[in-house]
Amino acid sequence: MGKHRLVETSTSSSSRCVTASVHAVHSFEVTSFSLLEGMGAGIFVSSRTFRAGGRGWNIRVYPDGWKEEDKAEYVSAFLCLVDGPKDAKTRTKYTLELLQKDGKVSELTRCSAVMLSHTFEAVDSYWGLGKFVDKSKLKPLLRLNVDCFTVRCALTIIGESQSEDVAAPSVVVEEFPQPNMHQHLEHMLKTGKDTDVTFDVDGQIFHAHRCVLAARSAVFESELLGPMKEKAIEEPIKVADMEPSIFEDLLHFIYTDSISDSNNDVHDKNMFMQHLLVAADRYGLDRLRLMCEVSLCHGIDAQTVATTLALAEQHHCARLKDACLKFVASRRDVLGVVMKTDGFKHLMASCPLIVVEILDKIAEA
C-alpha cells in the first residue's frame, strides 16, 4: 500500500476599509451688521450657494437668533443643503467659525466651534448653532471690523466605505547582514580619525573619542565631560598603575564590546585577564569585568589560584572567589602545592582571613 503524506499549506492575506470624502471651505462675510439687527427671530441672510460633493450648500446667519425664546441675545449660524439628489442621505462633518479681521478664529466662538456631525436627508434641511455668538460680546469685534464679521464653514462630505485587498510586499530578504557596527567603531579607533582625547600610559600615547568613552563608562563620562573637561582637552590624561597593553585592550573592548584574542598562552592569558579585570573594575565596565571573571574561572590552576583568589577578594568577585575555593578544596594534595607558591604568600599578606574560608571549604568537601 502506498503511503499518504500530509502536506500543510498556509496562506496570508489582508484588506482595508477605504472611505471616500470631499472637502470644501466657504467664507461668508456679513457687512453692516447693525442694519440687520431688529429683523426678528427666525429671519436670516444667506451666503451664495457653493458646491461640494455634487450638492449645493449655503451658510445662513440669523442676526436676531433662530428662536424667539433667545430674545435676540445671540446670532445663529447654520449650514443648509440647497440642492442635490432626491432621497439621498448626505453624511457630513463641519465646523462654523467666526473669523477676526486677520483671518484667525475669534475667541468668541472657539468654545462653540466644535466639529458637527449631521446627516442631511432632504433639500432645504439645515443644521448648526442656535447660540453661535453672544451679541453683547460681538460688539467689540464689530467696532474693530467696521461693523462686519465673517463666518467660515469647513465642510467634509463622507461617502460610502468599501473594502479592498492590500497587496503583500514583494520584497524577499533571504538573509539579514550580520551586525557590523563594532567593525566600524574599531576602524575609527585604529585610524584615529577625529579623535579628541589623548591618554599617556607609562609613556605610550593613545588617542580616542571622548563621546564613545563617555557613552560606555560612567567613570570616563565624569572625567571627560565633567568639571575637568577643559584640562582633558588641553593635555594628555596620565593613566597610572596600568600597563599600556592592558589599556589598549580596554579601549578595544569599549569600541568593539569584545576581548582581544591575541594572547594564546594559557599562563599569560590568565595574568592578562587578571590585569584586565582590575582595569574593568576601575572604569566601571561591568560587562568586561564579568567576562574576565568567567574566563578566570575556567583557567584556575595550582600556580595561579592564590593570586586569582586575592584578586577576587579585593574586587568583590563572588563567582570567581567561590570557584577558587572549590578548586583548592577539590583534592587534599592541592592545598600543599598552592601553599608553596609566591601567590599564596601574597594572599596571606593581603587577605589573612581568607585561610579560614579555605579550611571551611575543605571541611565541607
Side-chain angles (χ1 to χ4, degrees):
M1 295 179 65
K3 294 182 178 180
H4 295 280
R5 185 178 64 176
L6 178 63
V7 179
E8 294 184 358
T9 60
S10 63
T11 59
S12 176
S13 62
S14 60
S15 61
R16 62 186 171 193
C17 173
V18 178
T19 303
S21 63
V22 176
H23 305 278
V25 177
H26 187 79
S27 296
F28 176 39
E29 184 181 11
V30 179
T31 64
S32 302
F33 179 75
S34 59
L35 299 179
L36 299 175
E37 289 187 285
M39 294 174 61
I43 300 176
F44 61 86
V45 293
S46 67
S47 70
R48 295 285 297 272
T49 299
F50 64 96
R51 305 202 67 79
R55 293 158 175 79
W57 307 85
N58 67 23
I59 300 171
R60 293 183 177 181
V61 173
Y62 295 73
D64 288 327
W66 178 48
K67 293 183 178 180
E68 190 74 40
E69 61 194 56
D70 290 332
K71 299 179 181 179
E73 293 180 357
Y74 298 93
V75 174
S76 303
F78 291 83
L79 174 66
C80 178
L81 175 61
V82 179
D83 66 67
K86 293 183 179 180
D87 302 324
K89 295 182 179 181
T90 306
R91 292 179 56 226
T92 65
K93 289 182 180 292
Y94 61 97
T95 58
L96 291 166
E97 300 170 315
L98 182 68
L99 301 186
Q100 300 176 152
K101 190 174 182 179
D102 59 4
K104 294 182 179 179
V105 178
S106 171
E107 292 292 337
L108 298 178
T109 58
R110 191 175 296 277
C111 295
S112 61
V114 295
M115 178 71 72
L116 302 172
S117 297
H118 182 65
T119 299
F120 290 84
E121 298 187 358
V123 173
D124 289 330
S125 59
Y126 54 95
W127 194 262
L129 298 168
K131 297 180 179 180
F132 176 61
V133 60
D134 189 321
K135 290 172 68 173
S136 64
K137 297 179 180 179
L138 181 62
K139 291 181 180 179
L141 177 65
L142 293 171
R143 285 195 294 268
L144 291 174
N145 290 359
V146 197
D147 204 25
C148 302
F149 65 82
T150 299
V151 179
R152 181 176 65 188
C153 175
L155 169 65
T156 298
I157 300 172
I158 304 170
E160 295 184 357
S161 299
Q162 295 180 338
S163 296
E164 63 179 29
D165 292 330
V166 178
S170 59
V171 178
V172 178
V173 180
E174 296 181 357
E175 183 179 353
F176 286 101
Q178 292 297 315
N180 62 354
M181 184 174 70
H182 65 285
Q183 295 175 355
H184 294 292
L185 290 175
E186 183 179 14
H187 178 73
M188 188 169 68
L189 174 65
K190 288 182 177 180
T191 59
K193 184 178 180 181
D194 295 328
T195 56
D196 56 359
V197 64
T198 305
F199 295 92
D200 181 349
V201 186
D202 196 22
Q204 188 168 334
I205 300 299
F206 295 89
H207 302 283
H209 306 82
R210 67 178 59 245
C211 61
V212 177
L213 303 186
R216 297 281 280 157
S217 163
V219 177
F220 274 128
E221 180 182 15
S222 177
E223 185 175 14
L224 301 177
L225 303 181
M228 300 297 290
K229 176 182 176 181
E230 296 304 323
K231 185 178 180 181
I233 294 175
E234 295 173 358
E235 56 188 58
I237 299 173
K238 290 188 178 294
V239 180
D241 302 322
M242 188 178 299
E243 297 178 8
S245 61
I246 297 301
F247 190 79
E248 182 177 10
D249 279 277
L250 184 78
L251 290 180
H252 176 85
F253 173 81
I254 288 175
Y255 279 76
T256 68
D257 208 38
S258 64
I259 298 175
S260 172
D261 57 0
S262 58
N263 200 330
N264 295 319
D265 183 88
V266 175
H267 178 72
D268 290 344
K269 184 175 182 179
N270 190 283
M271 294 294 293
F272 163 75
M273 285 296 174
Q274 289 184 11
H275 288 296
L276 193 58
L277 186 149
V278 174
D281 193 34
R282 177 173 173 177
Y283 287 102
L285 298 168
D286 293 338
R287 173 173 160 79
L288 176 59
R289 181 175 178 273
L290 180 58
M291 291 169 69
C292 293
E293 192 175 348
V294 171
S295 178
L296 288 169
C297 285
H298 292 304
I300 296 173
D301 58 33
Q303 296 301 317
T304 62
V305 65
T307 56
T308 303
L309 183 54
L311 180 76
E313 182 72 3
Q314 292 166 359
H315 293 275
H316 310 289
C317 301
R319 300 179 188 83
L320 184 57
K321 178 181 177 180
D322 188 60
C324 290
L325 292 173
K326 286 181 178 179
F327 177 84
V328 173
S330 61
R331 297 199 316 269
R332 292 185 178 181
D333 59 330
V334 172
L335 180 59
V337 177
V338 173
M339 291 177 66
K340 295 178 182 179
T341 63
D342 293 335
F344 188 77
K345 296 177 183 179
H346 170 70
L347 177 64
M348 290 298 98
S350 59
C351 311
L353 296 179
I354 199 70
V355 69
V356 178
E357 296 186 57
I358 292 175
L359 295 175
D360 288 342
K361 186 65 69 174
I362 292 174
E364 292 175 5

